[in-house]
Amino acid sequence: MKDAELVGVQQTLRPVLRAKALDNRLPEPILGDELAERAMRGLDPDYDRRAFGTSQLGLAAVVRAKAHDDWARAFLADHPDAVALHLGCGLDARPHRVDPPATVDWYDLDYPAIIELRQRFLPPREHCATIGSSVTDLAWLDRVPRDRPVLLIAEGLVPYLTESELRRLLTSVVEAFPSGQIQFDTVSVWAWHSSRWNPVLRKYKTQFHCGFTDPAALAEWHPRLAYVDETPMTDSPLLLARAPANVRRLYRFMNLLPGVKRSTRIVRFRF
Ligand SMILES: C[S@@+](CC[C@H](N)C(=O)[O-])C[C@H]1O[C@@H](n2cnc3c(N)ncnc32)[C@H](O)[C@@H]1O
């Protein structure tokens, strides 16, 4: 399976999966995700032939994934009856890493072509189902139980939606469930606008479609939605501790520039 068989935005799963696979080969991995290596090898058997070690982008992707995992584990520990919606899941093995109790029903959602790859490269898990659909076609909501608390996780997805698609998604989920947590990462307006020159996104013929100066303000989209907090990203102690000196300097410099600072933010909401 080569890149050519993934189309447009679907290809963006590749660098993040590769980062998680390479992390697993470090003496002290951050995620320690063996299934990332298995899935990456399935996607591209030669993925590690050229460079070895996590890149700057790779380290940030791994730190971001860990932040989402930690929040998800905490929510599911308090809500063992929850329904988890893992949107834009790509080939990420999050349900295996988070290991929710058997009382949680977990749904991995991505385009049908990606779900087919998941079924080929990742092992099945009890109480974990897949949905092949665009996240913007909200008919998928009819396929999940909606009388329980929900955990919505969207890692690396939101910037590829337009603001109106995101608004429809969030407000529909709040309307559909009695309570829940919504966690996702978003980019700054600067990162959104400059994404058209991002070499990785250009290669994949895609770009970001939204970005926010103040993601907390998204809580205004629905009266029941409340912003909770944000976890550090470009200023994450883990990122700064594990980055090589030159990358650490780059992040410190970026963090001094308004607009560039916090170019990616991981935020959580409750309702
Ligand atoms: C950057 S990748 C992140 C994958 C995974 N969440 C991870 O962190 O490893 C973005 C993912 O979002 C998916 N995606 C983008 N737009 C989507 C949409 N409208 N509906 C469903 N999936 C979408 C892509 O197919 C891809 O798998």
Side-chain angles (χ1 to χ4, degrees), residues 119-136:
Q119 286 160 352
R120 263 168 61 193
F121 301 144
L122 291 174
R125 224 191 120 90
E126 270 198 278
H127 309 288
C128 185
T130 52
I131 300 179
S133 165
S134 170
V135 75
T136 59

Side-chain angles (χ1 to χ4, degrees), residues 10 12-13 16 20 88-90 92 110-111 133-135 155-157:
Q10 298 172 359
T12 62
L13 69 82
V16 278
K20 290 167 188 168
C89 58
D92 180 86
D110 208 299
Y111 288 113
S133 165
S134 170
V135 75
E155 180 188 4
L157 169 72

Side-chain angles (χ1 to χ4, degrees), residues 68-79:
H68 277 294
D69 286 359
D70 290 347
W71 273 355
R73 275 191 208 100
F75 182 83
L76 295 177
D78 289 346
H79 301 85

Side-chain angles (χ1 to χ4, degrees), residues 67-68 70-72 74-75 181-186 214-219 225-233 262 264-271:
H68 277 294
D70 290 347
W71 273 355
F75 182 83
Q181 172 165 300
I182 295 178
Q183 56 181 76
F184 57 86
D185 40 273
T186 172
D214 178 18
L218 273 47
L225 195 59
Y227 172 74
V228 179
D229 58 4
E230 145 175 26
T231 192
M233 185 63 230
R262 304 219 170 118
T264 299
R265 301 172 77 162
I266 311 176
V267 287
R268 93 181 132 167
F269 298 82
R270 289 264 172 99
F271 63 94

Side-chain angles (χ1 to χ4, degrees), residues 131-237:
I131 300 179
S133 165
S134 170
V135 75
T136 59
D137 173 3
L138 292 171
W140 64 262
L141 268 172
D142 295 335
R143 296 169 61 182
V144 303
R146 288 178 297 183
D147 54 350
R148 292 150 56 184
V150 68
L151 170 65
L152 185 161
I153 311 165
E155 180 188 4
L157 169 72
V158 162
Y160 299 107
L161 305 179
T162 64
E163 183 174 327
S164 62
E165 287 169 340
L166 177 64
R167 188 175 180 138
R168 244 185 97 234
L169 172 66
L170 297 191
T171 53
S172 303
V173 166
V174 175
E175 287 292 325
F177 292 88
S179 63
Q181 172 165 300
I182 295 178
Q183 56 181 76
F184 57 86
D185 40 273
T186 172
V187 296
S188 64
V189 171
W190 170 83
W192 163 30
H193 289 150
S194 58
S195 74
R196 74 187 69 163
W197 295 288
N198 178 317
V200 176
L201 298 182
R202 281 176 83 98
K203 181 170 144 204
Y204 296 151
K205 297 189 172 43
T206 190
Q207 64 183 68
F208 295 154
H209 298 298
C210 71
F212 301 94
T213 306
D214 178 18
L218 273 47
E220 288 164 16
W221 285 352
H222 197 287
R224 286 172 60 216
L225 195 59
Y227 172 74
V228 179
D229 58 4
E230 145 175 26
T231 192
M233 185 63 230
T234 53
D235 48 357
S236 148

